Amino acid sequence: MIEESQINHRHTLVLRENAEMLLQQGVGHPNVQFRPGQWEAIDALVNHSRRVLVLERTGWGKSLVYFISTRILRDQGRGLTLVVSPLLALMRNQMDAAIRIGLNAFTMNSTNVDEWDDIESKAQKNQLDLLLVSPERFANERFLKNLLQIVSSRIGLLVIDEAHCISDWGHDFRPDYRRIVGLLKQLPPNVPVVGTTATANDRVIEDIQHQLGSIHVHRGTLTRESLKLRAMVLPDQATRMAWLAEQIPKFSGTGIVYVLTKRDSIVLEKWLRTKGIDARAYFSSVQSENFDTSDEYRQHLESLLLDNKIKALIATSALGMGYDKPDIAFVIHYQSPSSVITYYQQVGRAGRAIPQAFGVLLSGKEDSDIIEFFRKNAFPTEEMVNQLLEYLSSRDGASVPEIEKDLNLQRGKVNKVFKYLSVQIPSPIIKVGSKWYRTALEFKLDKSTIEHLTSQREIEWNQIQEYINTSGCRMAFLQKALNDSNVKNCKKCDNCLNQSLDVDEYRGSIIIQAKKFLQQIEFPIEARKLIPKDACPTYGFQGRISSDLMASEGRVLSRWADDGWGSMVRDGKISGHFTDDLVEAVADMILNRWKPSPFPKWMTYVPSARNPDLVRSYSRRLAEKLGLPFLEVLIATGKSKPQKEQQNSFHQCHNLDDAFELIVPILQEPVFLVDDIVDSGWTFTIASVLIRQAGSREVYPIALASTANT
């Protein structure tokens, strides 16, 4: 007599054989077999309907676990698999892999809205095997009504990709992930759930378990045998730029250079291309005139790297989780990331299917300021939360533009507060259409948790500094920081080999070239095109600015306090005098690189009631250098507050209403309009309209430095 256990065993063996055939089909290799843990995770999902957290290094094959599980479950007549993924790049890579497994897979995101009707129809007819969505879809009324409410009762498998995003403690916490908790509560108990991540320490794992309920953790080693890790401190930008120019061509294959800001991405792309290195900037809003949307251009850049048609992408964290290129030969960090977890996530892009790859971390003096800015703005303040809740309580709903007009708050911060509050369970606010409403729920911000999280992130920042300065094995350091139980020395990093990077290799002329490049890397000043309604009642400006009144594209010499001219601008602002070196620098920019046409016939400046001589003196000397007449055509009325105190476009514009008076007559010729600092661009916008109204032709703004956080 055959026992039931024997039947189950045979059934499992057959399933495993079928699953391995799907694996071979998916990766395109007829002899490939499961890695340790892959089948065990699949078995837990398809045979035991468990909730599983798969914690494995990048490249291990986590997506194959849920693709193969989906195929098996669908063949058994189960419902569709819903995959929650955080990034479009991740979705694109995963969609290709899902199709190879033979799945009828679709994605719903902000770039394919025109396909939603068809996807919704297929889902309602049970014609989808797998649907990938971003967590932000769970806040979309149409998605909830037309799709999720219909299919939630027949979901066959729920996948939470990059599951660390659900945890406050994770390196990339996303509030919208918290909405998944609500979906989990609605699922029948026999629906399998799998969370996947490559980066989570014990603290994050514990929080994920708390969020997802009783969950089995499958945890592999984080050792990356192919990675050769290096780290060094090169405080100034020019030295790091020189190192990149010298060393990137020596790496075989292609790679990624991670930066902290969009501006750095643009600067390094230009620099490396002048040195004959085919590098491209990559960030969330990167544009190209040859592509209709940023998303299309990003896909193009990803493909160029994937096909080894460029040497490197110079990327912000927008190129992050899930970018699937197994032969990345190097990952270089131009600046320190915020934590060891973030670093491991990013450096783990390299060497997934090649015997040797390099991970190099360069550390600069600006790193800590940038990271501190991100850290301070990670969570809403109690003051802003209370201010917005009180505001909504006094009104029958309000849109964000209405809030901007009434409250001097940044739009990004308002949206961040609303995102934070809307994912609370239950939430003190609700959105209907374009308006937010206050619910009857009592709410008090959990300050202690936020303070604790912020403090923990400070500890994590100190930990990445320890990594940079450690004399021990770097891979072992990362493993210990991530609570890996299989810690061992890699015998490949600079410390294990006692081979520090040779600073002398790139000293000399190339550093001088980099410094000169930084002094010639000015950026455009784009004119504002629209005056907010009711922002300028005194001047009578409103709506779209006509082309005959709009400022022309200008130039800003530097970024505040950078290693080009920015440090000299900062020193001049503090001392109350801009040196003649800055006069020479702007004159050189105008005459030898910018060369605006038609070329201005005179020069003026933006006056200040608080420091009347600083910009006036500088502008006069610049006019003399260029041989142009210098005219004071505007005076400051003293009726405005400091522009840096204004937090959104409405208030930045409104603050300048009646801030200047014109002195006429005015030259009816093109003019340079000079100021020391530019941020929002509103001062140049209003001053330019006034000057053009008085009869001037083209107005070309010039600023010495930009303080915009880019």
Side-chain angles (χ1 to χ4, degrees):
M1 182 174 180
I2 300 174
E3 295 183 4
E4 183 178 348
S5 61
Q6 291 177 304
I7 296 174
N8 291 337
H9 179 66
R10 289 177 183 176
H11 171 73
T12 300
L13 287 177
V14 172
L15 271 184
R16 175 164 184 157
E17 291 174 0
N18 292 339
E20 280 199 332
M21 291 175 62
L22 290 172
L23 172 71
Q24 292 157 5
Q25 176 184 334
V27 301
H29 295 290
N31 298 319
V32 71
Q33 294 182 324
F34 282 123
R35 288 175 172 160
Q38 284 182 316
W39 165 249
E40 288 75 9
I42 294 169
D43 180 46
L45 296 171
V46 302
N47 289 326
H48 305 285
S49 299
R50 289 178 178 169
R51 293 188 175 186
V52 180
L53 175 64
V54 177
L55 174 58
E56 285 282 1
R57 64 184 183 274
T58 303
W60 177 81
K62 295 182 289 294
S63 60
L64 288 168
V65 167
Y66 52 81
F67 289 148
I68 294 171
S69 296
T70 297
R71 181 72 279 155
I72 294 172
L73 291 169
R74 289 293 283 168
D75 289 343
Q76 294 174 352
R78 301 288 289 272
L80 67 79
T81 290
L82 181 64
V83 181
V84 184
S85 287
L87 294 177
L88 289 176
L90 177 61
M91 290 185 183
R92 287 190 282 270
N93 291 154
Q94 289 186 330
M95 289 296 289
D96 292 340
I99 292 169
R100 290 195 299 269
I101 296 291
L103 297 175
N104 191 22
F106 291 84
T107 179
M108 292 181 73
N109 58 69
S110 58
T111 69
N112 71 338
V113 177
D114 56 333
E115 301 174 17
W116 284 21
D117 285 340
D118 183 54
I119 293 171
E120 289 166 357
S121 175
K122 283 183 169 62
Q124 292 165 9
K125 297 174 182 177
N126 197 27
Q127 295 174 350
L128 293 187
D129 295 324
L130 184 144
L131 179 64
L132 290 96
V133 299
S134 70
E136 287 74 20
R137 288 305 102 216
F138 288 83
N140 181 277
E141 293 179 26
R142 173 177 172 176
F143 174 76
L144 295 175
K145 180 180 179 181
N146 294 0
L147 198 144
L148 191 61
Q149 288 181 5
I150 295 170
V151 304
S152 61
S153 63
R154 45 189 170 91
I155 290 175
L157 172 65
L158 177 64
V159 180
I160 306 170
D161 219 348
E162 306 299 344
H164 59 268
C165 293
I166 207 170
S167 172
D168 288 339
W169 299 100
H171 72 283
D172 194 28
F173 169 61
R174 297 191 175 204
D176 279 302
Y177 260 73
R178 284 290 173 82
R179 302 182 194 275
I180 301 171
V181 176
L183 174 60
L184 283 167
K185 293 179 179 179
Q186 300 174 28
L187 292 179
N190 65 334
V191 174
V193 177
V194 59
T196 68
T197 181
T199 45
N201 55 21
D202 287 346
R203 184 178 60 254
V204 174
I205 291 172
E206 183 180 348
D207 194 27
I208 293 173
Q209 289 178 303
H210 175 72
Q211 300 289 339
L212 302 186
S214 177
I215 190 165
H216 173 73
V217 179
H218 170 85
R219 190 172 193 172
T221 179
L222 300 178
T223 301
R224 295 298 302 272
E225 301 290 349
S226 64
L227 268 181
K228 300 183 72 171
L229 298 173
R230 305 284 188 268
M232 63 191 308
V233 178
L234 299 176
D236 64 277
Q237 293 165 298
T239 304
R240 276 176 282 144
M241 291 166 63
W243 189 93
L244 292 174
E246 286 283 324
Q247 299 301 318
I248 286 179
K250 297 179 182 179
F251 292 114
S252 61
T254 59
I256 303 169
V257 179
Y258 276 108
V259 294
L260 293 177
T261 71
K262 298 175 184 179
R263 181 69 60 85
D264 286 313
S265 179
I266 295 168
V267 168
L268 289 185
E269 177 197 36
K270 292 180 178 179
W271 161 249
L272 292 175
R273 290 173 74 84
T274 68
K275 309 309 293 182
I277 299 171
D278 192 359
R280 307 294 174 88
Y282 183 104
F283 47 88
S284 60
S285 58
V286 65
Q287 300 278 352
S288 170
E289 60 184 14
N290 299 319
F291 294 85
D292 292 335
T293 66
S294 176
D295 181 64
E296 289 178 5
Y297 184 48
R298 290 199 308 274
Q299 289 187 52
H300 173 68
L301 293 174
E302 292 164 18
S303 296
L304 289 178
L305 185 64
L306 192 65
D307 297 334
N308 297 319
K309 293 181 178 179
I310 58 174
K311 187 65 177 178
L313 282 184
I314 314 300
T316 65
S317 58
L319 185 76
M321 297 174 288
Y323 180 71
D324 187 13
K325 177 176 168 61
D327 61 341
I328 290 176
F330 60 89
V331 169
I332 301 169
H333 282 72
Y334 180 67
Q335 295 133 331
S336 302
S338 60
S339 70
V340 166
I341 298 179
T342 301
Y343 182 64
Y344 184 85
Q345 174 78 39
Q346 293 175 342
V347 79
R349 304 267 74 78
R352 291 163 54 174
I354 53 178
Q356 177 174 279
F358 290 85
V360 183
L361 197 164
L362 309 177
S363 178
K365 63 184 179 183
E366 75 272 20
D367 304 4
S368 60
D369 290 340
I370 298 172
I371 296 298
E372 184 180 12
F373 173 82
F374 291 149
R375 187 166 58 238
K376 285 184 176 179
N377 288 275
F379 297 102
T381 65
E382 182 180 32
E383 179 184 9
M384 185 174 289
V385 167
N386 291 340
Q387 185 178 8
L388 286 168
L389 289 178
E390 289 173 8
Y391 176 86
L392 291 179
S393 296
S394 65
R395 286 161 176 78
D396 184 23
S399 65
V400 172
E402 291 170 341
I403 294 170
E404 279 188 300
K405 182 177 177 180
D406 292 338
L407 303 177
N408 185 22
L409 299 173
Q410 289 181 17
R411 173 171 292 201
K413 290 186 176 181
V414 171
N415 286 331
K416 182 174 288 187
V417 169
F418 285 163
K419 175 67 70 64
Y420 181 87
L421 294 176
S422 64
V423 300
Q424 303 300 310
I425 302 174
S427 174
I429 59 174
I430 188 172
K431 189 177 185 182
V432 180
S434 64
K435 290 194 173 186
W436 290 95
Y437 295 82
R438 181 73 166 92
T439 68
L441 178 73
E442 288 287 330
F443 181 82
K444 185 175 182 180
L445 187 69
D446 186 356
K447 285 199 305 178
S448 61
T449 297
I450 290 177
E451 289 170 357
H452 192 47
L453 289 169
T454 302
S455 174
Q456 183 59 41
R457 293 180 181 190
E458 291 173 357
I459 293 172
E460 290 174 348
W461 170 247
N462 292 331
Q463 190 177 45
I464 194 69
Q465 302 310 303
E466 292 174 12
Y467 169 81
I468 293 168
N469 296 303
T470 186
S471 59
C473 174
R474 296 196 185 279
M475 183 58 72
F477 187 102
L478 296 178
Q479 290 179 269
K480 290 176 183 176
L482 293 168
N483 303 120
D484 189 355
S485 60
N486 188 31
V487 176
K488 59 182 179 180
N489 288 354
C490 68
K491 301 180 181 179
K492 291 183 177 182
C493 70
D494 51 355
N495 289 338
C496 284
L497 297 176
N498 196 25
Q499 293 177 346
S500 60
L501 295 172
D502 190 352
V503 178
D504 293 333
E505 285 184 20
Y506 49 89
R507 288 205 179 275
S509 62
I510 193 166
I511 293 182
I512 296 173
Q513 294 171 26
K515 289 181 178 178
K516 185 175 181 181
F517 177 85
L518 285 171
Q519 293 179 337
Q520 297 180 350
I521 195 66
E522 60 270 2
F523 293 89
I525 299 174
E526 301 290 345
R528 292 278 188 164
K529 298 178 175 61
L530 196 68
I531 303 290
K533 183 181 179 181
D534 301 326
C536 288
T538 303
Y539 288 144
F541 303 157
Q542 186 163 289
R544 184 166 296 279
I545 303 172
S546 62
S547 58
D548 60 333
L549 295 179
M550 189 184 302
S552 299
E553 183 181 88
R555 289 292 184 274
V556 55
L557 180 67
S558 66
R559 178 170 47 177
W560 177 258
D562 72 8
D563 282 356
W565 295 107
S567 295
M568 191 175 292
V569 176
R570 176 198 58 198
D571 295 343
K573 186 80 170 175
I574 293 171
S575 68
H577 177 76
F578 294 126
T579 67
D580 287 341
D581 287 339
L582 290 172
V583 173
E584 296 286 342
V586 171
D588 178 60
M589 175 185 75
I590 292 170
L591 298 174
N592 296 320
R593 298 188 298 281
W594 182 11
K595 302 176 183 177
S597 179
F599 197 87
K601 302 294 185 181
W602 60 293
M603 181 172 290
T604 190
Y605 73 107
V606 177
S608 169
R610 296 169 186 82
N611 195 348
D613 194 53
L614 179 62
V615 180
R616 176 171 55 198
S617 169
Y618 173 80
S619 304
R620 189 186 301 276
R621 285 178 284 139
L622 179 59
E624 292 174 359
K625 177 68 180 179
L626 296 174
L628 297 176
F630 175 73
L631 299 178
E632 299 186 48
V633 300
L634 294 173
I635 61 170
T637 64
K639 297 179 180 179
S640 63
K641 299 176 182 178
Q643 193 69 352
K644 64 183 179 182
E645 295 177 2
Q646 311 311 309
Q647 300 299 309
N648 61 53
S649 283
F650 179 88
H651 284 267
Q652 288 161 348
C653 184
H654 184 63
N655 186 53
L656 296 167
D657 190 36
D658 204 22
F660 306 115
E661 289 182 6
L662 267 166
I663 304 172
V664 291
I666 203 168
L667 292 184
Q668 298 182 9
E669 298 284 355
V671 60
F672 285 122
L673 175 62
V674 181
D675 204 355
D676 53 355
I677 308 297
V678 61
D679 190 343
S680 67
W682 276 113
T683 301
F684 276 133
T685 298
I686 298 300
S688 296
V689 172
L690 291 171
I691 292 171
R692 294 213 66 177
Q693 272 189 335
S696 172
R697 288 181 58 199
E698 290 85 353
V699 177
Y700 296 97
I702 296 174
L704 292 177
S706 169
T707 57
N709 292 313
T710 56

